[in-house]
Each structure stands twice: as structure tokens, then as C-alpha cells.
Amino acid sequence: MTRAYDLAKAMYADWGVDTEAAIDRLKTIPISMHCWQGDDVVGFETRTGSSGGGIQATGNHPGRARTPDELRADLDFAYGLIPGQHRLNLHAMYMDTDRTPDRDEIEYAHFAPWVDWAKGAGVKLDFNPTFFAHAKADDNLTLSHPDQGIRDFWIEHGRRSREIAARFGQELDSPSINNVWVPDGYKDVPVDRMAARRRLDAALDAMFDTPLDGMKDAVESKLFGIGVEACTVGSHEFYMGYAIRNGTVLCLDMGHFHPTESVADKLSAVALSVDELLLHVSRPMRWDSDHVILLDDSIQIMAQELIAGDLLDRTHIGLDFFDATISRTAAWVIGTRNMQKALLQALLRPLDRLRKAEDEMDFTTRFTMTEELKDLPFGAVWAEFCDRMDAPTGQALIGKLDDYQSKVASRG
Ligand code: RNT
Ligand code: ZN
């Protein structure tokens, strides 16, 4: 324990905040880190090039993982610098197999090496069917495609993904969240939105028709994507209604709303009607650009809502960003740690006193306290947490990130 932490502990205690309780709580919060930051959302199928579906990583920084072994090595390195035990969010296109099965042929065996690795690494797995980067998704219609055959193809993909997720959950003894995001939409004004939404609704029902142990279904909405500017079939209202009617997990991606909307504000609103939430913590800049998350207001307010709304036990925190202009492992490590920092800051608020001021409509006290609290030595508490969890901070952390990046820079 450092002198800096001792002082910090006393200063927080003066406000009625127990830093030890905050540190202990943070240790138990898993973050689901997304595999796709490691390779610019390319995946390991032989047939595809770009991701399509209106999502895109930009940049050509050296060091992109090209094989499952490279991706796992990068993940091992990243988890080593992120304090705590976490999860990996895999996409179906990250299968680890010699011959690429088509999407409607995927099986657990194609992902078994990931489970072997996860067992050794102490990591739990989440999953996503991949409804993009495929010839049958080139026109940005999958589960809502007018052609029954195309819909059936994608329904089969989704069913198989659920079975794989269920097996993940059973093997690793922790339910795997299987998150469905489809790019479906129209570039120009459609004449029959209702028909498209009815098709998506029915396809989801068909996909989810068998309850499975070991997994949970989640659905992810979106405002718009490049190429589907006029209408996104799976809009927020569509999936909020779907999740309420069907009891699925509702995924809120921070890049999937109008830029002036606060996604943090939505948590308490939807949590009254859905049991469980999944977050895709991201940083949209002007559009759903998936920038690496900073420790900025949007993330901090999100964390504050999770704590103040007592939502941690029914919210799965996943990340969704990808930047190919910087070290991919540095992006993972700093981004994931930023989410943890935001949670720790939120855990270090004297909520009882803040709530009391608000209940008494003493908005001056709420304002003055909130602002003065920002001056407390949060960095010393974070450094203590990292130290206890054997994770470096500051210049030591940067040194390790730079060393690793220089080792992977020679990858072609
Ligand atoms: C796309 C969605 C989706 C993807 C991942 C790769 O806009 O956010 O979550 O980013 O499935
Ligand atoms: Zn997302």
C-alpha cells in the first residue's frame, strides 16, 4: 500500500466513501472484450474481404492478427495488462478450422480451440452470429430478405450460433450471451417498412424457437448504417418491443443512436421493462465510427447510471470499437481499462449524500458536491487497484504496450 493511496483513502473517507469496498466491487465486474478489435473485423474465413454491412475499420497500422493463434497471443498479452477476470466476445467469422464452413454449416467443433484456450486463460466466452461479410448479405438484407431461401439460410446460421454459444456456456460454466445484430435496411425510402419488419420479427421467432441451456439471446438495434440511410429494419423501437415481448436481453450500442442522445439515460428507462441488458460501449464520432473509448463524460455517466440504478447484476458490459490506425493491443488494453476506471469512479461517489440532496430538491448541493468530488485523488485508488491485481500503470504500462507492438509490427 502506497502513501498516496493512504492519503486518498482518508480523503474519500472524509466524504463518507469506502475505497476498499469500491476496489472489492470492481474486482468482480467482468468486461466482455470484443475479439474484432484485434484484426479490424476481418475474421478467419477464406472467402471474405471487407466486413460490409455499413461497418468499417480504417487505418493500416502494422500488427493486425492474421490467424487465430496470433489473435490469441495478442489477447493473452492484453488480458495480462487488464486487472481482473474478463470475458471474450467472439464472432462466428472467427472460427478456427482448416476448411471454412459456410455460415449455415458452422458447428461447435469449429470453435473448440477457442474453448480450450479460454479454459486455460480463465476467460468466459460470449458469441455473435455474423450476418455481414458474406455474399448472401451483400444487399444488406438477411433475416428480413424478401426471399424465403435467403432468410432460411440466415435463420440456420443464427440457430447454429445459439447452439455454439450454449456449448460455450456449458463448457465454461457461465452463460454465453449470443448477440444478434443484422445490417438489414434500405438505402432509399422503402414503400413497405411493415413487411420488412414483419419478416424480421418472424425470422427472429424461428431462430429463437428452442430454449437452450448455457446461453442467452440478445438483440441489438441501430439507427442507420452506411448504405442503409433511409430505413434500418431492426431499429431501437423494433428491438425494444421485441425484447419486452420475448424476454430476450436488449443490447444498447452507444454508437447506434442519434449523436445528441444519451445512451446512459436509456438504461433506467428500458430496465423497467426488460430484465437484462447488454451494452456495446463505444465512441461514435459524427456517426457510428466505433472509436476506442476514452475516459470521457459519455462513459463516466454510463458507469454512474449502472451503479446508481443498481443495474450491474443485470447488465452485461461488452465493448464495441475498432481502430486500425493505432496499436490494436494498446486499443484493447486502454479501452477496457477506461471502462473499469469509469466504474471505479462511479463506485467512489457518496451516493447516499447525493441522493439526499436530490430528494430534497437541493440542486445547489448536488451541483457543488458533484463538481468538488472531481478533485479527489482517483488516480491513487486506481493505481492501488492495479497494483493489487498485478497490473502495471502509467509509464510502466506504456513501456509494455510499446514493447509488444514492436514485436508484432513485422507481421505482413
Ligand atoms: C454494428 C454493430 C455490431 C458490430 C459487431 C462486429 O454496427 O455495432 O455490434 O460492431 O457485431
Ligand atoms: Zn455493436
Side-chain angles (χ1 to χ4, degrees):
M1 210 177 294
T2 61
R3 241 191 99 217
Y5 176 65
D6 274 345
L7 283 172
K9 189 175 170 181
M11 287 170 77
Y12 276 100
D14 193 41
W15 287 81
V17 173
D18 180 354
T19 54
E20 290 295 316
I23 286 176
D24 286 345
R25 184 70 178 101
L26 186 62
K27 283 181 192 164
T28 66
I29 307 175
I31 312 282
S32 190
M33 202 166 82
H34 50 313
C35 70
W36 53 93
Q37 162 62 65
D39 79 326
D40 313 337
V41 210
V42 175
F44 302 128
E45 293 170 311
T46 43
R47 72 168 68 78
T48 58
S50 73
S51 33
I55 59 176
Q56 199 186 356
T58 47
N60 59 357
H61 201 73
R64 187 182 84 76
R66 298 157 302 174
T67 64
D69 284 338
E70 286 182 353
L71 190 61
R72 284 190 285 264
D74 294 354
L75 285 162
D76 283 330
F77 168 73
Y79 286 118
L81 298 179
I82 298 165
Q85 288 293 306
H86 299 286
R87 307 178 66 89
L88 176 68
N89 196 8
L90 266 184
H91 236 287
M93 65 177 174
Y94 289 78
M95 57 195 62
D96 183 355
T97 172
D98 293 338
R99 277 192 45 239
T100 304
D102 203 348
R103 298 278 173 83
D104 63 344
E105 296 165 349
I106 55 167
E107 291 172 7
Y108 174 73
H110 304 129
F111 298 88
W114 282 107
V115 173
D116 294 340
W117 168 82
K119 284 180 177 167
V123 166
K124 311 292 184 189
L125 294 177
D126 294 312
F127 200 55
N128 305 257
T130 310
F131 293 97
F132 51 86
H134 190 281
K136 289 193 168 69
D138 276 352
D139 47 14
N140 286 325
L141 290 168
T142 63
L143 290 179
S144 73
H145 201 287
D147 182 301
Q148 173 87 51
I150 305 263
R151 290 203 301 282
D152 287 345
F153 173 87
W154 289 113
I155 289 168
E156 183 62 20
H157 175 59
R159 283 190 175 140
R160 285 168 178 257
S161 296
R162 294 178 77 240
E163 281 164 18
I164 292 163
R167 186 78 185 273
F168 283 176
Q170 289 155 17
E171 294 284 337
L172 298 166
D173 210 17
S174 172
S176 179
I177 310 297
N178 187 57
N179 178 54
V180 170
W181 172 72
V182 297
D184 293 40
Y186 294 100
K187 180 182 174 74
D188 221 331
V189 185
V191 294
D192 197 349
R193 295 167 198 255
M194 184 60 117
R197 292 198 163 114
R198 281 195 205 286
R199 289 192 294 264
L200 178 55
D201 187 57
L204 291 167
D205 285 352
M207 222 165 72
F208 296 153
D209 68 355
T210 313
L212 295 175
D213 286 338
M215 61 83 63
K216 296 181 184 186
D217 295 301
V219 289
E220 179 180 2
S221 66
K222 189 160 175 168
L223 177 66
F224 87 100
I226 302 294
V228 293
E229 290 84 356
C231 170
T232 293
V233 183
S235 61
H236 177 53
E237 290 76 5
F238 175 90
Y239 279 122
M240 192 168 72
Y242 191 87
I244 293 169
R245 276 183 286 127
N246 296 285
T248 66
V249 179
L250 180 66
C251 174
L252 300 177
D253 182 307
M254 292 175 73
H256 290 191
F257 296 87
H258 190 278
T260 66
E261 278 186 274
S262 161
V263 182
D265 175 70
K266 298 177 189 300
L267 301 186
S268 52
V270 297
L272 289 173
S273 300
V274 298
D275 288 339
E276 291 183 54
L277 297 171
L278 168 64
L279 295 181
H280 273 189
V281 183
S282 191
R283 180 164 57 107
M285 199 180 288
R286 304 186 188 282
W287 73 294
D288 182 29
S289 60
D290 289 297
H291 280 67
V292 183
I293 57 170
L294 306 178
L295 184 59
D296 65 8
D297 281 0
S298 69
I299 309 298
Q300 289 169 312
I301 297 170
M302 182 68 91
Q304 288 168 9
E305 283 302 311
L306 288 172
I307 307 297
D310 198 18
L311 293 170
L312 274 184
D313 292 339
R314 53 192 184 109
T315 305
H316 308 272
I317 306 176
L319 308 177
D320 189 4
F321 51 74
F322 30 94
D323 187 340
T325 68
I326 58 176
S327 161
R328 293 163 187 80
T329 42
W332 260 333
V333 171
I334 300 292
T336 307
R337 287 167 59 116
N338 278 345
M339 188 65 226
Q340 292 183 290
K341 285 185 185 181
L343 288 163
L344 182 57
Q345 286 182 336
L347 288 164
L348 289 169
R349 296 210 306 166
L351 258 183
D352 291 346
R353 289 175 69 179
L354 290 165
R355 278 201 186 102
K356 181 166 178 290
E358 187 163 283
D359 286 350
E360 291 169 357
M361 293 174 60
D362 180 359
F363 301 137
T364 305
T365 298
R366 185 183 63 184
F367 163 68
T368 52
M369 272 183 71
T370 308
E371 292 309 295
E372 285 303 292
L373 283 163
K374 290 179 178 170
D375 302 336
L376 289 179
F378 163 75
V381 185
W382 169 253
E384 177 69 17
F385 171 70
C386 288
D387 197 47
R388 290 185 194 177
M389 306 296 282
D390 283 326
T393 51
Q395 299 187 62
L397 171 69
I398 293 172
K400 286 189 193 292
L401 291 172
D402 289 347
D403 278 355
Y404 192 81
Q405 177 57 32
S406 62
K407 281 187 206 130
V408 299
S410 57
R411 287 175 184 167

